[in-house]
Amino acid sequence: MSYQREEEGKPISGGLVIEVSEDEFILAGIRFTAEWLPKRGENAKVDYIRIEEGTFDKDVWMTSSILNGDEASRISIKNKPSALNVEMYKYE
């Protein structure tokens, strides 16, 4: 993960990643970017199957929008607190 520099008038960046399963993650925070890489020594590449914006209602994920195309080229949370559900896959 990489965090944006502190800027006057903007919130401080921060975030967390929760591993739901081997290929699914929840990202939450503000002003950060995440990049996935294969495990060290693996001869594979990784990519995104699905990226959803949403929230939790109690313990159930509620999708508000699905990101695709240019929106999904890199996982980035902008200037307002947000949560993403990200599903990944590996290939050679």
Side-chain angles (χ1 to χ4, degrees):
M1 288 192 342
S2 62
Y3 299 96
Q4 294 179 10
R5 285 185 237 168
E6 194 171 334
E7 294 180 44
E8 189 174 324
K10 292 192 177 182
I12 296 174
S13 58
L16 63 95
V17 177
I18 300 168
E19 184 175 2
V20 177
S21 69
E22 184 176 338
D23 299 322
E24 184 179 357
F25 304 87
I26 300 292
L27 284 76
I30 188 168
R31 301 183 71 226
F32 77 95
T33 302
E35 177 183 8
W36 269 259
L37 301 170
K39 291 179 183 175
R40 194 169 294 186
E42 277 188 338
N43 187 24
K45 297 178 181 175
V46 293
D47 207 346
Y48 313 108
I49 294 175
R50 187 174 184 95
I51 302 173
E52 303 173 343
E53 284 185 309
T55 59
F56 281 96
D57 183 3
K58 299 183 183 173
D59 62 348
V60 177
W61 176 257
M62 306 297 289
T63 301
S64 58
S65 65
I66 297 171
L67 306 182
N68 56 30
D70 291 340
E71 296 172 311
S73 62
R74 76 190 300 206
I75 296 176
S76 184
I77 294 182
K78 306 290 184 197
N79 292 325
K80 67 176 191 159
S82 301
L84 302 174
N85 183 318
V86 179
E87 188 177 351
M88 311 288 296
Y89 71 99
K90 285 191 268 188
Y91 65 97
E92 294 187 26

